[in-house]
Amino acid sequence: VSNRYPTAQLRALDAAHHFHPFTDTKALNAEGSRIITAAKGVWLTDSDGNRILDGMAGLWCAQVGHGREEIADAVHRQMTELSYYNTFFKTTHPPVIALAEKLAEVSPPQFNRTFFCSSGSEANDTVFRMVRFYWDQMGKPEKKIIIGRWNGYHGSTLAGTSLGGMKAMHEQGDLPVPGVRHIPQPYWFGEGGDMSPAEFGIWAARELEKAIDHHGEDKVAAFIAEPIQGAGGVIIPPETYWPEVQRILKERDILFVADEVICGFGRLGTWFGSEYYGIEPDLMPIAKGLTSGYLPMGGVLVSDKVAAGVIDKGGEFYHGYTYSGHPACAAAALANLEIIQREKLVERVANDIGPYLQARWRALGEHPLVGEARMTGLVGALELVPEKGNRKKAFPNTGTVGTMCRDISFRNGLIMRAVRDSMIISPPLVITHGEADQLVAIAKKTLDDTHAELKRRGMI
Ligand SMILES: Cc1ncc(COP(=O)(O)O)c(CNc2cccc(C(=O)O)c2)c1O
């Protein structure tokens, strides 16, 4: 197979042999997959030569944009020297050492050690086992329960799925595994009822307090949460939420895990999302922006407090992966972080392109189809509603309008993600003002086209 094969032939082979993730593969094969053949900056090229603006940075991960030669060159150099060796059995290698040092430098001061893996899911499986090991080491083995939020997303392994709150995923495979509980999410637009955002933020935070007190602090090991829920639909919590959660956790001896797989590496205009909200986690799972997706890599940043139990106390942590700290992936991550630092992309999101795109994205909130336009840093959502101004009235068959709008967007040359009936963007941090204008213009046209189509179908 090569890029030069005609689309139909590529589609047929894909349909014959490829079982896609998170896909009704039968339905996809009837429709035909979209073949992305090249990418540069924020632009994708498909097998028919269409240029598409990648409003999702791949899957929330291509911080530095696609096609950076210097990352490819760094990986190539590393591969010619040491293409692979493991970090088990008392061995290590220069790239993983350099990366671990770099992560200690760019992360909040309490983080000085990293456990490496190959994905965000594996990072959360590592968290699951590390938390249990920590409390064993601290002489409190009965502290086992980990609390997450409904509609949180922490991956697709057994622990990742269990810690996440996606009910449809739990139902496929009889999850969650024992010892995981979920509390409501701080989703004011969809679940705030008659409360103001401020009141709802406090209410949602106190659901954590209620859950801890219900199970007993002596049985609860940790609370895991994304600073902003990504795959759940860019759920930006009310301002009152995180300070109240921090107060609740400070009063109790429970570990706080901030899942930074999406919010890390500049997405919110800070190196980590926890810093944006002024919260102080004990563990931070990372992936995605760590390498900008150039090679698969994840990890868990371990605070000095947790390291005291799982490292400094001695004892073997019976956990790890063949590719933990993979040298070529570490080289990609180092080159990626070098670009983020050299081009000051985190500051750019905070002070330049973030405010620039936020203002224009929020202006889309004027559209008759949009119930709320929200964006923090460079991650945003548009809630599509049948009746503007009425949060309580949703489209029937949740997701139908979202999927329609997403497909119209792709046809118009912009990739947005649909979650339920919300449209989501999470563009590369390098997007220019001009490209941001193009993104917003195509999004506006997409809303108009969707509105016209819904009218034609009599759905509004
Ligand atoms: C917060 C968070 N934590 C963990 C994971 C799992 O990472 P891996 O996929 O590398 O195992 C994620 C991943 N998030 C993710 C992955 C794939 C698709 C989508 C989507 O929104 O369509 C989101 C994530 O968003």
Side-chain angles (χ1 to χ4, degrees):
V1 173
S2 88
N3 281 354
R4 290 184 303 284
Y5 275 30
T7 299
Q9 192 170 352
L10 290 167
R11 275 199 181 126
L13 288 168
D14 188 60
H17 305 295
H18 184 192
F19 185 3
H20 286 248
F22 276 98
T23 299
D24 176 334
T25 298
K26 178 171 185 251
L28 172 66
N29 291 345
E31 188 182 340
S33 50
R34 301 165 183 140
I35 292 138
I36 307 300
T37 56
K40 197 80 176 167
V42 305
W43 298 96
L44 308 177
T45 306
D46 74 9
S47 55
D48 294 330
N50 300 307
R51 260 162 62 85
I52 304 138
L53 205 167
D54 183 10
M56 276 302 294
L59 280 176
W60 322 74
C61 54
Q63 261 54 353
V64 300
H66 301 287
R68 292 277 192 152
E69 302 270 334
E70 69 182 274
I71 298 179
D73 292 345
V75 170
H76 181 262
R77 259 195 319 277
Q78 180 55 48
M79 284 198 155
T80 55
E81 275 173 43
L82 179 72
S83 51
Y84 169 73
Y85 200 69
N86 64 75
T87 53
F88 286 58
F89 314 135
K90 302 182 183 176
T91 56
T92 184
H93 45 69
V96 75
I97 296 168
L99 179 58
E101 182 190 34
K102 174 64 75 180
L103 288 170
E105 175 201 321
V106 300
S107 60
Q110 71 266 33
F111 293 98
N112 292 294
R113 268 55 88 87
T114 300
F115 189 102
F116 289 102
C117 55
S118 299
S119 68
S121 299
E122 285 185 353
N124 283 316
D125 275 53
T126 300
V127 161
F128 191 98
R129 301 191 60 200
M130 196 186 293
V131 161
R132 294 270 172 85
F133 179 50
Y134 173 79
W135 288 115
D136 291 349
Q137 291 279 88
M138 302 308 279
K140 297 183 175 176
E142 70 286 351
K143 282 173 81 78
K144 291 203 181 306
I145 293 171
I146 304 177
I147 298 170
R149 281 104 47 97
W150 290 118
N151 201 37
Y153 188 77
H154 300 296
S156 194
T157 45
L158 291 184
T161 302
S162 299
L163 295 172
M166 305 286 186
K167 289 179 179 153
M169 293 175 74
H170 292 168
E171 285 155 17
Q172 284 187 352
D174 312 317
L175 296 174
V177 298
V180 178
R181 298 288 184 278
H182 298 88
I183 60 173
Q185 59 180 326
Y187 179 30
W188 175 77
F189 186 87
E191 299 175 3
D194 297 328
M195 283 186 261
S196 71
E199 291 163 344
F200 181 68
I202 296 294
W203 176 85
R206 288 184 180 162
E207 286 296 296
L208 171 62
E209 195 163 44
K210 272 167 58 180
I212 293 168
D213 295 348
H214 170 75
H215 296 293
E217 180 187 338
D218 59 337
K219 296 288 188 303
V220 179
F223 171 57
I224 184 168
E226 303 153 80
I228 287 178
Q229 292 154 254
V234 185
I235 310 298
I236 298 173
E239 304 215 329
T240 53
Y241 181 75
W242 279 119
E244 183 66 2
V245 169
Q246 188 74 49
R247 173 195 65 79
I248 292 163
L249 290 174
K250 278 210 180 320
E251 291 168 3
R252 294 164 175 82
D253 193 14
I254 288 166
L255 294 180
F256 172 38
V257 182
D259 186 334
E260 296 275 1
V261 169
I262 284 182
C263 291
F265 302 105
R267 181 59 56 195
L268 304 188
T270 49
W271 270 93
F272 293 89
S274 302
E275 296 169 295
Y276 180 84
Y277 285 107
I279 47 185
E280 296 181 358
D282 301 300
L283 290 168
M284 293 204 298
I286 58 174
K288 292 190 192 285
L290 171 60
T291 61
S292 283
Y294 282 62
L295 282 177
M297 191 175 224
V300 178
L301 298 183
V302 181
S303 67
D304 295 337
K305 171 184 174 181
V306 175
V310 301
I311 295 177
D312 304 332
K313 206 177 172 67
E316 182 172 345
F317 181 36
Y318 300 116
H319 173 67
Y321 308 97
T322 301
Y323 304 129
S324 287
H326 191 289
C329 299
L334 281 162
N336 173 60
L337 296 180
E338 153 69 23
I339 293 170
I340 293 176
Q341 283 183 302
R342 187 181 71 235
E343 297 183 2
K344 298 189 182 322
L345 296 183
V346 178
E347 299 79 354
R348 183 172 186 268
V349 173
N351 308 319
D352 177 353
I353 188 62
Y356 184 87
L357 181 48
Q358 289 155 18
R360 288 153 180 81
W361 182 258
R362 289 191 191 112
L364 292 174
E366 304 307 310
H367 194 280
L369 210 43
V370 178
E372 181 182 75
R374 54 181 184 265
M375 177 175 275
T376 296
L378 278 187
V379 64
L382 301 174
E383 294 265 4
L384 305 187
V385 292
E387 199 181 304
K388 195 170 182 60
N390 180 355
R391 278 176 35 225
K392 299 198 168 80
K393 191 165 176 223
F395 283 112
N397 307 320
T398 302
T400 306
V401 173
T403 303
M404 178 205 298
C405 187
R406 180 203 59 197
D407 290 347
I408 291 172
S409 181
F410 198 99
R411 209 173 54 227
N412 288 341
L414 167 64
I415 291 197
M416 294 195 278
R417 167 98 165 75
V419 177
R420 296 180 301 281
D421 294 319
S422 292
M423 303 313 293
I424 304 242
I425 58 165
S426 173
L429 311 188
V430 294
I431 188 169
T432 64
H433 286 208
E435 290 162 343
D437 291 342
Q438 288 178 273
L439 186 157
V440 171
I442 301 173
K444 167 89 171 56
K445 178 180 181 334
T446 297
L447 291 170
D448 292 343
D449 295 348
T450 305
H451 192 263
E453 179 61 19
L454 291 173
K455 269 214 177 303
R456 200 181 61 75
R457 297 189 191 188
M459 290 171 70
I460 52 174

